[in-house]
Amino acid sequence: QARSKKQAEPLTEACTTEVRDFFRVAARAPVDLKKTAGSWWANLVKNLRSGCEEDAKKLCSGAPPNKVMQCLKAQKSKLSEGCKQKVFKVQQHQSEDLGLDPHAFKACEPDIAKFPACNVSDPPGAQASCLREHREELSEACRKELFRREQENSEDVRLKVKLFSMCKSEIKELCADEEFGEARVLKCLWTHSLQKTVKGFGEDCKQEVNKHARRSASDYRLDYKLRTQCDKSIEKMCAAEKAAVDNMTLVELFGGQTKDGTYLFQGKGGQVVHCLKKNFKTLHSDSCRNAVMRIVQVHSLMWDADAVTKEVCANDVTTLCGDKKGQDAVHLCLRKHLDKLSVDCKEEELLQGSLEAEDIVMKPLLLRACFSAVRDFCLGVLPGQGRVTQCLQDSMTKPDFPRHCRDRVADDLEASNHDWRLKYGISERCKDDVAELCKDVDLSTKAPILTCLKKRLHDVKSEACSSEMRRYIKQGLSNIRFAPALNAKCTNDVDEYCSEVQPGGGQVHECLLRHRDEISAECAEAEFQMQALKAADASLSPNVATKCKSSMKALCGDVKAGKGAMWACLEDNKEEDGMDADCRHVVEAEMMLKHSAFHLNLRLAQYCTADAEALCPEQLGKASFKDFHSEGAVISCLAKILSKVNGTDCKSELARKVGQRVQKNMLDPKLRDVCGDDMAKFCRESKGDAAQQFCMHQHFEQLSAECKESQAVYMAASSQLTYNWRVKRACASTVTKFCKNVQQGEGRLMQCLLMHMHHPGVDAGCRKTLEQEQAKRTKSIDFNPMIKATCVGDIKKLVDNKTCAEKSGGQGGWQLDCLTEHSEMIASAQCKQVVKFLKLRQSADVRAKPGAADACAQDINTLCPDIEAGGGRINECLRKNKEKIASDECKKKISVIWRSDKAHAATNYRIKKFCVNEIAAFCKDVEPGDSRLLGCLGLHVKEASFSEKCKASLSGTDVLDAVKKAPMSAIQAEFKQMLERHKGFFDKWGSLLMFGTVGFVSIIAFAVSYCILHRKLFHPGYNVVVPKDLES
C-alpha cells in the first residue's frame, strides 16, 4: 500500500522486492467467497471483498475460485460502481506488474526464462511490454494470457502503462474534459494524433498511440468501442466470422511459430473487422458506425494493420509497391495498379477505398493536409457521402488553394479514379446504369466500368449518375493523371512529346493534340474518345470553366450544356461583343479540333452519317477509326456536294460547319496543309481571318493547284448567304431593308445585296464585305451560283461553236466574260436574266468584271482618286478620261462595259437607276432586248414628265440607232389592231395598202424622232450633271 501510494519516503529496494514478492504470492491464492471477511489476499486492494462480494455472488457464482477475478473483469460493465472501482484498481496493479496477474504470470513464466531481458520489474509494465515485443515467439499459453490482458485493458488508457506514461501531458492538455473509461481518452488521443500540428502533442506519445491503434485494429476484441458498440451487428451479421476467430489459436490469429516448428508469417484474424467493414452501410447504430470508421482510419494509415489485407496483399505490395514510403502510400499504389492485383487483394483494396470515399474523416492524411482548405473552401459542406472530398477536388484548381493540399488531393483523386467503387458519388448513383449498360465489360482492363460509362454517357438514364460521370470526365480532361485508362495508353507518348508540360488545366491533352499525327494508335484512339466527350459537352472543358463563364452567361444563358448545344452557341456568338477574348480563343481552338474529325461533332455525326455513307463512304470509313487521322475529310466531302445532301437536319448542321469554314478556311485541315505555303507567300502581312481570306481570294489565280481546289469549295459556298456568316452579320439590316421579300436559296439573297451594295442606305461595314464578295465572284463562274445553275448549257454551246475559247481549269472568270460579251446569243431565258443582272452590276461598278479591278487599279487611282465606287461613277470617270487610260488591258475591259451600256438600257445601271419612272410610264410593255427599251425611252424623251436625270443617263448611248428600230415595231402593233377591226376590207386591198402606209409612216416617224432627239440630247449648250447623291 505504501508503494502504491507513492509515499514521499520511498521504500528501500529490498523492502520493495519483499513487498512485491509478497503480493505476487498472495495474488496466486484462490479467492474463496464462502470464507469470512479478512482474507489477506483480498487486501491487495483495500475493501475489495466487501465491495465486490454481492457482485461476485450474482455474476460469478459458477466461476472456479481461482478465476473469480477474471470473471469480475469480464463482467465489468455490469458491476456496481463500488466494485467496478475496486476491480479497476486490481487491473491497474496487474498492468504495472505481470506477477500480480497469477494466470498470466504462470502461463508466461517459461517464456520469461526464455527471454532474460523480460525478467524485470521496473519500470511499471516493463515485463509485459518486453514479452509483447517477442509476441510471435512466445508459447501459445502466454500469448493467450497476454491477449486476454489486452482485451481487459482496452477500456482505459490508465491500464496501458507505457502509453499512459508517455502521454500524461497530452492527456492533461488535450483530453482533460474526457472521463477515463470506455476508451474515451484513447479515442481523444487518436483523434488529436491525426491532426497536422497540435501544440503539446509529443512524437513519443504519437508513436505509442499509433502503435496501440495498429494493434487494436487487428482484432475486434482488442478495440473496446468496436467490441461493445457493435456487439449486436456482430451477432446479426458476422456470427460465422466471430465463431471462426474465437476458435483460432493466437498463432492462427496473428502469425508466429506453430507447434510443429513451422512459421506462419501472416495471421488469419481480422475477419470480424472485415465483416463489419463490408456491412458498414447496414450497421445497427451510429455508435457502431463511428467505431468502424475509426478502424478504417487506422487501416488507411497502416495498410498492414488490416489482417485480411495483409494476408491477401502481401505479394502484391512486394511486387508493385515495394518502394513506396509513407503511411498511406501503399494504399494509393495498390489503387493505381488495381488491374494488376490478385483477385483477393483487389477486393480488399476496393472495400477499404470505397469506405474511405464515403467520408473524408476516413482519409485522415488527406484531412490533415487539407484542414485549412476545408475551412476556407468547403465551409458549410455537410460531411458524409463524399461531399467534402468532392468539394476539395472541385476547388483545387483555384489560385489560392493550398499547394500541399492540392498535391494530396491530386494523389488521392488519381488513385480513386481507377475504379467506380472508389468514387462514392458514382458507386451510389450509377448502380442501375452499370447493371444495364456495362454487364458485358472486360473487368480485367483499366477502370473498366468507368470507361464503359464514359463511352455510353449519352445512354445513361439517371441524371444523378450523368452528373457524377461528367465530374469524373472533367477531372480527366483537366489532368491526364485523373484519366487512368487514357493515361496508361499514353504514358510513352507523354514521356516522348510532353515530358516538359506541367499537368493540369488540360495542358497535357493539348500537347497530345498538337502531336496527334505522331502519337501511337492506342493513345490517339483513347485521346479521341476523351475529346469526343468534351466536344459534346462544353461544361467538361477545363478552359471553358475558367475562361468562358461570363461569355456563357451573357450570350448563352438559356442554353443547357450537353449534346453540343453550348459549344454551338459559343461558336455562333464568338464574334459578338459579349464574348471575352480568352473565351474566343478557347472556342476557336475547339472548332479547329472538331473540324479535323467528323465524329467529334455529335450532332453532325448523328444527322449526317446516312448521307455520308451514301455520298462519302471512303472518307467515312477512314473517319470510323476515330484516331484524328481523317483530316476532316467527311466534312470536306459533304461540303463539296451540298446539293446532294438529303437529310434536313443534316443540311442544317452541315450549313453550320460549312459556314464556319467559309468564315475561316483554315478550319479545313487539308486546306490548311496545302495552302500553308501560299499563305506565307502571298498573305504573310494580312492580319485576321477576314483579311487573310480576302488576300487569298485576290491571289486565287496564282495559288497552287491543290490550294486553289480547296479554296474554291468555300469560295463557292460563301456566294450563298446561308454559309457566308460574315456578310450575313454585317448586312443583317440591309437584308431587312432591301431584301426581306426575296426568296432564300440559290444565291438570291446575296444577289439582292450585291444589287443594292452602293445604295446610301447600306452601311459601310456591309458594303465592304459585299465588295469583297464581288471581287471573289470575278474569279470564276463557280462563285456565282445563279449563273452556274442556269448557264452551263449556254456556255457549252458558245464554246462548241467557237464563239468563246475555253481556258485551262475553268478558272479566271472567262466563262463570265463569255456570257456578258455574247449575251445576245444566250438561248436560255433564265440564263439571260441572271447575265443581265451581272452586266448591270458591271455597269454600276467596273470592278465586278473579271480582271478589271487589277487591270484598272492604277488608272482609277490616277484619274479618279476622289470618285466613290458604285453607281457607274468610276465607269463614267474612266469614259471621260479614256484617252488618258494607260493600261491597254483596262481599256479592253472597260470598253466591253461601255459597249453594253450604249446599246442596252436594261443593263445600263444609270438608265435603270434614273429612268425607273419613265420606263414604268412609257415602256412597261416593251420586252427588253435588241435595244427595244432604249428605243422606247428615246421615242418619249419629249414628254413633259421625262426627268432631266433620265435624259442625262441617255447621253452617250446608241439611243438614235435604237429609235430607228422602235417606230416600225410600234406602227406594226397599231396596224395589226386595225387589221382586226377591218378584216373584210383588207382581205381585198390589204397587201398593197399595208406596204404603202407602213413605209410612209415609218419615214415620217423617223424624221420627227431624229429631230427631237437631236435637239434634246445633243444640243451644243447642254451639259450632263451627275448629282452627288446619285444613289438616293
Side-chain angles (χ1 to χ4, degrees), residues 874-891:
I874 296 293
N875 295 19
E876 182 65 19
C877 172
L878 291 174
R879 186 167 59 186
K880 286 183 177 180
N881 294 279
K882 61 183 177 180
E883 301 303 328
K884 300 178 183 180
I885 295 176
S887 169
D888 291 337
E889 185 64 21
C890 179
K891 286 181 181 178

Side-chain angles (χ1 to χ4, degrees), residues 111-122 126-127 130-131 134:
D111 297 276
I112 294 173
K114 181 179 178 181
F115 300 102
C118 298
N119 191 15
V120 294
S121 300
D122 287 314
Q127 193 168 58
C130 176
L131 289 171
H134 299 277

